[in-house]
């Protein structure tokens, strides 16, 4: 039955790519005046993934983001952002972001609502040109269940499920920093985050360095990594760091995240995650190679942990301004796979 269905599923997918991959003009969903602006952006990804190079399974991903802003003068403005994506819906949430902000172009920005912490917003990710969402709750784990707990995200995060206040400075000589405080959650008492990013965006070699740290008091049934157990502990602390280097068409990246839980109950969900990657662009083509390491057994040896290695090679063809075709192959949790898909953005 599997061998019979395999060519049918791939044929249906390729026919879908052919139909939707025809030339189309870009649709700009935006409005702007002297005082008010509105932007609606997003993307949709449809594809197939074959675990163990066996029966293909459908995978889908999408995100929609609406942002509105009103300018009081040439310096101050207020605005609001609402976003929803597939990762949030998978967790039965009806937002990815929902916050209001005040911005002063000479000082910085204040955000209040449901959004990522400042340490994550100022973080850097791994180079990846595929459509498997490597830097944010990877899609391949939806079809390949890990044999143990995996910390797949190498950038610090304290979730988006509780009200938060973010304060971020404007970039000064390439340096930007910020602080965030979150509370009113039944999963922890409070959480604080700090982040800093140092950028050199000009010159032949462009660089970005990022560092983040956080402290959470009394996590209770708390989880941000979809593939680790919920943690209950006295407190949790995290640090993360990363660097991106761009040289002509080459992009190099290294990131790492360390998590420690004090007196955890149950199976380990803390540990370390680290990754490295490289990508190369030429004309409408892009290639990338990404590697992620996860170890949840470095602090509490009386609790069973798990080590995971993930390696992914990806290829992308930019068919038009809004349409990309991508192909990925990799190995994770001792399961080889390959995937292909279509991504449409607006």
């Amino acid at each position: 039955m599997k061998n019979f269905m395999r060519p049918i599923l791939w044929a249906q997918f390729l026919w879908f790519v052919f139909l939707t991959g025809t030339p189309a003009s870009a649709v700009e969903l935006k409005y702007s005046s002297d005082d008010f602006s509105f932007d609606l952006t997003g993307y949709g990804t449809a594809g197939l993934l074959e675990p163990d190079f066996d029966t293909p399974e459908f995978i889908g991903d999408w995100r929609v983001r609406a942002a509105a802003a009103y300018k009081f003068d040439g310096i101050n403005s207020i605005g609001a952002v609402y976003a929803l994506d597939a990762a949030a819906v998978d967790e039965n949430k009806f937002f990815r972001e929902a916050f209001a902000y005040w911005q002063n172009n000479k000082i910085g920005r204040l955000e209040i609502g449901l959004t990522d912490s400042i340490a994550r917003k100022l973080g850097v990710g791994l180079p990846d040109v595929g459509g498997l969402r490597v830097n944010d709750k990877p899609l391949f784990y939806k079809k390949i269940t890990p044999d143990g707990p995996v910390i797949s995200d190498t950038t610090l995060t304290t979730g988006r499920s509780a009200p938060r206040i973010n304060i971020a400075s404007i970039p000064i000589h390439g340096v930007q920093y910020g602080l965030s405080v979150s509370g009113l959650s039944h999963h922890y008492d409070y959480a604080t985050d700090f982040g800093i990013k140092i950028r050199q965006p000009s010159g032949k070699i462009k660089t970005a360095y990022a560092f983040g740290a956080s402290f959470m008091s009394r996590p209770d049934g708390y989880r941000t990594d979809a593939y680790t157990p919920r943690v209950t502990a006295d407190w949790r602390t995290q640090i993360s760091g990363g660097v991106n280097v761009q040289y002509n068409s080459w992009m190099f990246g290294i990131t790492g995240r360390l998590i420690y839980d004090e007196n955890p109950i149950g199976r380990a969900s803390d540990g370390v995650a680290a990754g490295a990657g490289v990508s190369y662009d030429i004309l409408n083509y892009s290639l990338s190679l990404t590697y992620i390491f996860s170890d949840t057994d470095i602090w509490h040896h009386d609790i069973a942990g798990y080590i995971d290695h993930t390696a992914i090679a990806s290829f992308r063809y930019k068919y038009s301004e809004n349409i990309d075709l991508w192909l990925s192959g990799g190995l994770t949790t001792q399961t080889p796979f390959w995937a292909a898909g279509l991504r449409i953005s607006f």
Side-chain angles (χ1 to χ4, degrees):
M1 183 65 179
K2 289 183 178 181
N3 292 333
F4 173 73
M5 291 297 297
R6 182 175 178 178
I8 294 178
L9 287 171
W10 277 109
Q12 290 176 341
F13 170 68
L14 292 174
W15 179 246
F16 170 77
V17 169
F18 173 78
L19 291 177
T20 57
T22 54
S25 59
V27 179
E28 295 187 3
L29 303 177
K30 62 173 59 177
Y31 170 80
S32 180
S33 65
D34 292 339
D35 300 325
F36 179 78
S37 64
F38 175 82
D39 289 273
L40 182 65
T41 58
Y43 69 84
T45 297
L48 292 174
L49 183 147
E50 281 194 355
D52 286 322
F53 306 123
D54 199 352
T55 304
E57 299 185 40
F58 178 81
I59 56 173
D61 186 32
W62 54 271
R63 179 178 297 174
V64 178
R65 187 178 190 269
Y70 178 78
K71 299 178 182 178
F72 288 102
D73 48 42
I75 299 175
N76 296 284
S77 62
I78 60 173
V81 174
Y82 175 80
L84 183 65
D85 63 7
V89 173
D90 287 344
E91 299 177 356
N92 296 319
K93 298 177 182 177
F94 296 97
F95 64 90
R96 175 182 175 87
E97 293 183 310
F99 67 92
Y101 69 86
W102 166 74
Q103 183 166 306
N104 182 291
N105 294 339
K106 293 185 177 181
I107 300 175
R109 179 172 169 129
L110 171 69
E111 300 175 343
I112 302 177
L114 301 169
T115 185
D116 285 311
S117 69
I118 200 67
R120 182 170 180 83
K121 289 191 174 187
L122 294 180
V124 296
L126 296 171
D128 175 67
V129 303
L132 294 175
R133 206 169 60 202
V134 168
N135 289 296
D136 185 14
K137 299 179 180 177
L139 281 175
F140 44 80
Y141 280 125
K142 294 180 67 174
K143 303 299 180 181
I144 305 172
T145 303
D147 294 337
V150 172
I151 305 170
S152 63
D153 198 330
T154 59
T155 305
L156 190 154
T157 177
T158 51
R160 299 182 296 268
S161 59
R164 181 185 306 278
I165 298 176
N166 283 341
I167 301 174
S169 71
I170 62 170
I172 302 174
H173 303 299
V175 180
Q176 187 175 16
Y177 55 89
L179 178 72
S180 69
V181 179
S182 177
L184 301 178
S185 171
H186 62 279
H187 285 307
Y188 54 83
D189 290 346
Y190 67 89
T192 61
D193 298 73
F194 170 78
I196 185 171
K197 178 179 281 188
I198 304 171
R199 283 177 283 195
Q200 178 57 49
S202 60
K204 191 172 184 178
I205 299 178
K206 302 175 177 62
T207 59
Y209 302 89
F211 173 80
S214 75
F215 176 84
M216 179 179 293
S217 175
R218 297 190 178 280
D220 183 6
Y222 166 80
R223 180 176 66 185
T224 54
D225 293 87
Y227 322 109
T228 59
R230 297 186 179 275
V231 60
T232 298
D234 292 347
W235 48 266
R236 162 173 283 199
T237 186
Q238 301 182 70
I239 61 172
S240 66
V243 57
N244 284 168
V245 178
Q246 182 179 350
Y247 176 74
N248 293 330
S249 297
W250 291 92
M251 173 68 77
F252 304 89
I254 299 175
T255 58
R257 174 184 173 204
L258 188 147
I259 309 170
Y260 175 78
D261 296 330
E262 178 69 8
N263 296 325
I265 299 174
R267 193 169 186 182
S269 61
D270 59 357
V272 63
V278 58
S279 67
Y280 180 73
D281 295 328
I282 179 171
L283 299 177
N284 291 343
Y285 303 91
S286 299
L287 299 169
S288 70
L289 181 62
T290 307
Y291 168 75
I292 300 176
F293 167 80
S294 170
D295 187 355
T296 55
D297 187 19
I298 62 175
W299 312 114
H300 316 288
H301 297 291
D302 57 330
I303 302 175
Y306 180 71
I307 295 177
D308 180 73
H309 301 272
T310 298
I312 301 174
S314 296
F315 166 80
R316 181 182 65 190
Y317 170 65
K318 194 169 185 62
Y319 182 76
S320 68
E321 182 181 355
N322 301 91
I323 300 175
D324 296 340
L325 301 173
W326 57 268
L327 175 68
S328 295
L331 174 67
T332 181
T333 322
Q334 300 178 352
T335 302
F337 69 89
W338 78 297
L342 170 74
R343 175 185 171 105
I344 301 177
S345 59
F346 61 89

